[in-house]
Structures are given as C-alpha cells and as structure tokens.
Amino acid sequence: QVQVVESGGGLVQSGGSLRLSCAASGSIFSIPVMGWHRQAPGKQRELVASITNGGSSNYADPVKGRFTISRDNAKNTVYLQMNNLKSEDTAVYYCNSDVRLRDDGPTFRYWGQGTQVTVSS
C-alpha cells in the first residue's frame, strides 16, 4: 500500500508565492517520476511539472520561469515552488508518484488527495 499526502495550498494574492509539498510512503522500491498536475473548475486535469529521481524536470509552458519542481529522494518527497502566481493558476493541485514496488516490476501511479490553490486578483 502506498500513500501520497500533499500540503501547502491556500489563498494568495496575485504576484505572491506558495510552496507545495508531497510525500509518498509505504512499500516503495523506487519512485522514478514524481510530479504535479492541476485541475481548474470545468477543465481537464493538466500536467504542471514532473521530475525524475535523477533530477531531470519538465514544465508546462504556462508555468515555465515561475514554478520550480524539486525532490528529496531520501524522503520520497517532491516540492513545487510557485512564484509570481496569477489568477489562472487557481486550481486543485494533485501530486502523482509513479512508484515501482519491486526492482523488476512496472510502475504504478498513485495520486494525492489534492490541495486547493486560490489566487486572488
């Protein structure tokens, strides 16, 4: 069993910053990829950023230059530093952990429960 728990959402004014955290725990062999998605009301869930356990990162165009993803492999934790927030960043943010349960096994995607980020203009 794997648990994924997020924290750090909230209400912030336009131009402000927030930092999200997400920790995975349980029977984990490795986590090749961790990432963040978001879903705004009436819209589909979309990728925000992802990072491999080797440190390679990928960002969606709308957040490039404003958001930074990082991770602590020893703690199975991923962070999302969000700067210069805009009203269009308002959404529920979900963490994903793509977990390998054994050395030669496939990866399974686990999701957190989501954390609300609201940016007021």
Side-chain angles (χ1 to χ4, degrees), residues 42-63:
K43 295 187 177 181
Q44 289 188 329
R45 190 174 297 189
E46 61 179 6
L47 174 69
V48 175
S50 64
I51 185 167
T52 69
N53 54 5
S56 296
S57 59
N58 177 57
Y59 296 91
D61 286 343
V63 308

Side-chain angles (χ1 to χ4, degrees), residues 38-101:
R38 66 186 181 187
Q39 187 166 18
K43 295 187 177 181
Q44 289 188 329
R45 190 174 297 189
E46 61 179 6
L47 174 69
V48 175
S50 64
I51 185 167
T52 69
N53 54 5
S56 296
S57 59
N58 177 57
Y59 296 91
D61 286 343
V63 308
K64 284 181 179 177
R66 300 188 297 121
F67 291 11
T68 302
I69 190 170
S70 60
R71 64 186 282 177
D72 183 333
N73 291 332
K75 296 180 179 179
N76 289 336
T77 299
V78 64
Y79 307 96
L80 186 67
Q81 178 66 42
M82 304 184 293
N83 297 330
N84 190 22
L85 282 159
K86 305 175 181 180
S87 57
E88 50 263 43
D89 295 317
T90 295
V92 178
Y93 283 70
Y94 296 91
C95 170
N96 69 279
S97 292
D98 295 351
V99 175
R100 183 166 285 133
L101 303 179

Side-chain angles (χ1 to χ4, degrees), residues 11-16 85-87 90 118-121:
L11 173 65
V12 64
Q13 288 189 333
S14 181
L85 282 159
K86 305 175 181 180
S87 57
T90 295
T118 302
V119 183
S120 63
S121 56

